[in-house]
Amino acid sequence: MDSSNKIEQTFDYIIAGAGASGLSLLWNMLHSDVLNSKRILLVDINFKPVNDKTWCFWDDSNIPFEELIYHTWSNLEVSALSERMNEDLKKYKYHCIRSIDYAEKILEMGKASDSVTMLESKIIDFESEGNQGIIITDQGKFKADYIFQSALKPPGLVNEKLDVSLKQHFLGWEIETNKDLFNPGRAIFMDFDIPQTDGVSFFYTLPFTKRKALIEYTLFSDKLLTDEEYELELIKYLQTKYNLKSSDFTVSRREKGNIPMEDRRYPFMYCDHVYNMGTAGGLTKPTTGYTFTRIQRHAKEIVNSLESGSPIPTKRASTYRFRIYDMMLLYILDQQTDVSIQIFHDLFQKNSFDRILQFLEEETNIVQELKIFYTLPYTPFFKSIWKMKHRIFSGA
Ligand SMILES: Cc1cc2nc3c(=O)[nH]c(=O)nc-3n(C[C@H](O)[C@H](O)[C@H](O)COP(=O)(O)OP(=O)(O)OC[C@H]3O[C@@H](n4cnc5c(N)ncnc54)[C@H](O)[C@@H]3O)c2cc1C
C-alpha cells in the first residue's frame, strides 16, 4: 500500500463501490447530458458480474432499466396462522432484476465511456482535504470534488443510538424440479406456516417457470445460522410443502444474505465531501430489508443536485412518521414472535395487498395508515410505544 500523501490522479466524481447503488449512480450520470463528460473514477475490489443477488421491488417509475427485468409477478401470496391469502395486484407489479444482468449492462457502459476510469482495487478509507474528498486504495490515493461511497461502513455509525438491532438473514436455493410444480405468475411473498424456533421465520418463493424457482429460508433475528441449518430447513420445506425428495430436484444456484434491520440513524457523510449511499447510507427499510427502489431514487436525486449545482440531498430515507412505525414493529419483531405473526396475518387478511405495498413503500397518507392500524392488534403497538418512548419523543 502507498502510505505517502501523493495523489495519483484527480477526478470530478469518484464512485466507490460498484454494487446496486454505485452502478445506479453511474448509470444516471452517463444518462445526464450535463454530467456524462465529467471525469468519473469507479472503484471496486472486483468488476466481474456475479449472479449472487435477486433484487425484487414493486413498480416504481424511477427504475431506469426496465429491459433488465428478469421476471414479473402480478399475484402475491402470504400464508400465516394456517391461512393462505393471495391476491392479484392492481396498482403494482412485483419485479426482479438479477445482479449479474445489472452489473454486466452498466459496467459495459462504463467501459465504453471515455469519461469513466475503472480501478479494480481494495478501498481502505476516505479522508478530505480542502474542498475535495480523497479515496485511499491499495493502489494509491485519488481525489475528487465529490465521492459517493457504498463500500465501507461509515465510522460515525457506532455512535448512533441503537435500541433494536436485528438482521434479515437468509439462504436460498434456485432449484429445477422434474415435474411441474410452481405458478410463475405468483410469488410467495411470505410463508410463515413453518416452525418458528429461531425468531420470526418464513419462506420466500420466486417461481420463474413451472419447474424453476428461488426458495429462501429467511429469519428476522440477531443470530445467524450455519449453512447446514438453513439448508436443513430448506430440505424439510421442499418435502412438506411440495413433496420433493432430493432426487426430484437439482440446485442450480445458492443465494445468501444478511441485511441490517436496525433503528439507528445512518450518517449521510463518511467525512467531508464523501457521501454514503446504499446500505452504508442507511437506505435499507429497517422492517423489510427492501433497499433497491430507495437506491434508485437516491441516485436520481444526487444526479439532479449535481446537474443543478444544488447541495447533495441529506434528507433521511424515511420521514419521522415512518421511522416511528418501523421502530414499533422492530421492537415487536425482536420481542414477540407470536404477536408478529398475528400482525402479519391480520395485515394481509384485512387490507388489500396493493395498499400494504404502498404502505411499505411509505407512500400512504396518515388516513390510509390509520385505517391499516385499525385492522391490527393494538396492545403490542401501545406497549412498543411505551418501551421506545425515549426515541419516539426525542426525534426518533
Ligand atoms: C442476497 C441479497 C438479496 C437482496 N435482495 C433484495 C431485494 O430483493 N430487494 C431489495 O430492495 N433489496 C434487496 N437486498 C438489499 C440491498 O438492495 C442489496 O444489498 C444491495 O446490493 C445494496 O446495494 P449497495 O450498493 O449498498 O451494496 P452492494 O450492492 O453490496 O455494493 C457494494 C460494493 O462495494 C464493493 N466493496 C465492498 N467493500 C469493498 C472494499 N473494501 N474495496 C473495494 N470494493 C468494496 C463490493 O464489491 C460491492 O460491489 C438484497 C441483499 C442481498 C445481500
Side-chain angles (χ1 to χ4, degrees):
M1 179 199 145
D2 177 8
S3 59
S4 75
N5 280 329
K6 184 173 151 242
I7 300 292
E8 304 294 336
Q9 228 178 319
T10 300
F11 293 85
D12 293 308
Y13 309 127
I14 294 174
I15 301 176
S21 57
L23 290 179
S24 173
L25 184 61
L26 181 68
W27 192 95
N28 280 282
M29 283 180 167
L30 293 178
H31 279 78
S32 157
D33 293 340
V34 183
L35 307 182
N36 64 13
S37 55
K38 299 279 185 189
R39 289 157 308 149
I40 303 169
L41 175 68
L42 180 70
V43 190
D44 201 286
I45 192 93
N46 190 337
F47 285 120
K48 192 175 176 326
V50 273
N51 194 5
D52 64 345
K53 295 187 189 102
T54 313
W55 290 309
C56 286
F57 54 94
W58 40 101
D59 271 343
D60 188 283
S61 51
N62 286 304
I63 302 299
F65 9 74
E66 274 177 31
E67 73 276 13
L68 292 183
I69 290 176
Y70 179 66
H71 197 92
T72 295
W73 297 269
S74 48
N75 185 289
L76 291 184
E77 179 170 303
V78 172
S79 293
L81 305 180
S82 306
E83 187 174 352
R84 262 173 80 172
M85 301 163 268
N86 57 61
E87 207 170 287
D88 283 333
L89 299 176
K90 292 169 194 75
K91 177 175 160 64
Y92 297 108
K93 294 263 184 288
Y94 195 61
H95 307 286
C96 87
I97 287 182
R98 302 187 311 169
S99 56
I100 189 168
D101 301 331
Y102 184 88
E104 263 169 10
K105 168 98 184 175
I106 304 174
L107 290 172
E108 271 315 308
M109 288 174 61
K111 280 182 202 150
S113 162
D114 293 338
S115 328
V116 180
T117 304
M118 291 171 55
L119 175 71
E120 213 164 58
S121 179
K122 182 172 182 207
I123 299 163
I124 295 160
D125 204 356
F126 301 95
E127 55 190 33
S128 54
E129 190 181 82
N131 287 333
Q132 291 184 307
I134 297 173
I135 181 172
I136 306 169
T137 74
D138 62 3
Q139 294 185 44
K141 296 182 177 183
F142 301 83
K143 245 185 184 180
D145 296 343
Y146 296 87
I147 298 181
F148 301 99
Q149 82 86 19
S150 53
L152 305 185
K153 273 193 179 171
L157 199 58
V158 286
N159 305 324
E160 295 291 332
K161 280 188 225 158
L162 178 70
D163 283 278
V164 186
S165 176
L166 295 174
K167 300 174 182 76
Q168 176 177 154
H169 52 107
F170 50 90
L171 190 149
W173 283 347
E174 194 167 297
I175 61 163
E176 291 192 37
T177 59
N178 58 6
K179 56 187 171 202
D180 291 355
L181 271 182
F182 306 112
N183 174 356
R186 173 181 297 164
I188 304 183
F189 203 50
M190 294 170 141
D191 179 358
F192 291 104
D193 283 333
I194 57 167
Q196 301 287 330
T197 43
D198 292 299
V200 175
S201 325
F202 60 93
F203 273 86
Y204 174 63
T205 300
L206 299 178
F208 303 118
T209 68
K210 286 180 183 169
R211 294 181 179 214
K212 187 172 159 191
L214 173 65
I215 304 185
E216 293 186 340
Y217 178 47
T218 306
L219 299 100
F220 297 159
S221 73
D222 57 356
K223 191 176 136 278
L224 302 180
L225 305 185
T226 62
D227 285 6
E228 293 71 32
E229 286 171 315
Y230 295 106
E231 289 181 342
L232 189 62
E233 294 307 316
L234 274 160
I235 291 166
K236 283 195 222 157
Y237 186 72
L238 291 173
Q239 170 75 60
T240 47
K241 171 105 182 169
Y242 296 107
N243 200 20
L244 284 175
K245 299 187 297 296
S246 57
S247 54
D248 296 330
F249 65 90
T250 53
V251 178
S252 50
R253 194 175 71 82
R254 284 162 100 246
E255 178 165 324
K256 200 175 164 189
N258 172 10
I259 306 174
M261 299 176 77
E262 297 183 336
D263 61 359
R264 80 174 132 192
R265 290 179 171 194
Y266 277 58
F268 305 116
M269 313 283 298
Y270 190 96
C271 59
D272 284 350
H273 311 292
V274 182
Y275 296 82
N276 301 319
M277 297 190 303
T279 305
L283 266 82
T284 300
K285 182 162 170 73
T287 45
T288 62
Y290 283 94
T291 323
F292 191 73
T293 308
R294 291 168 170 230
I295 283 174
Q296 306 310 327
R297 277 194 215 129
H298 191 218
K300 251 210 161 88
E301 284 166 8
I302 292 173
V303 164
N304 289 343
S305 304
L306 293 172
E307 284 176 340
S308 62
S310 51
I312 305 296
T314 50
K315 66 175 174 28
R316 310 234 162 251
S318 300
T319 60
Y320 173 76
R321 202 168 83 239
F322 282 96
R323 275 188 59 75
I324 301 296
Y325 302 157
D326 279 338
M327 276 186 184
M328 294 192 305
L329 186 57
L330 267 186
Y331 178 82
I332 298 169
L333 289 172
D334 187 34
Q335 300 287 321
Q336 293 169 289
T337 298
D338 292 358
V339 173
S340 304
I341 309 277
Q342 181 76 52
I343 289 172
F344 283 115
H345 170 269
D346 294 2
L347 181 69
F348 283 94
Q349 194 204 41
K350 297 176 183 164
N351 297 279
S352 81
F353 281 31
D354 280 288
R355 179 50 51 81
I356 298 164
L357 295 182
Q358 189 186 1
F359 174 63
L360 297 179
E361 205 53 53
E362 307 189 353
E363 283 174 346
T364 40
N365 61 41
I366 186 97
V367 176
Q368 293 165 328
E369 289 146 27
L370 289 173
K371 282 188 184 157
I372 292 175
F373 299 149
Y374 183 71
T375 64
L376 305 178
Y378 308 131
T379 325
F381 285 99
F382 285 130
K383 255 193 205 154
S384 70
I385 292 174
W386 177 249
K387 292 286 182 191
M388 299 296 281
K389 61 184 182 311
H390 57 294
R391 299 291 300 278
I392 294 174
F393 299 115
S394 65

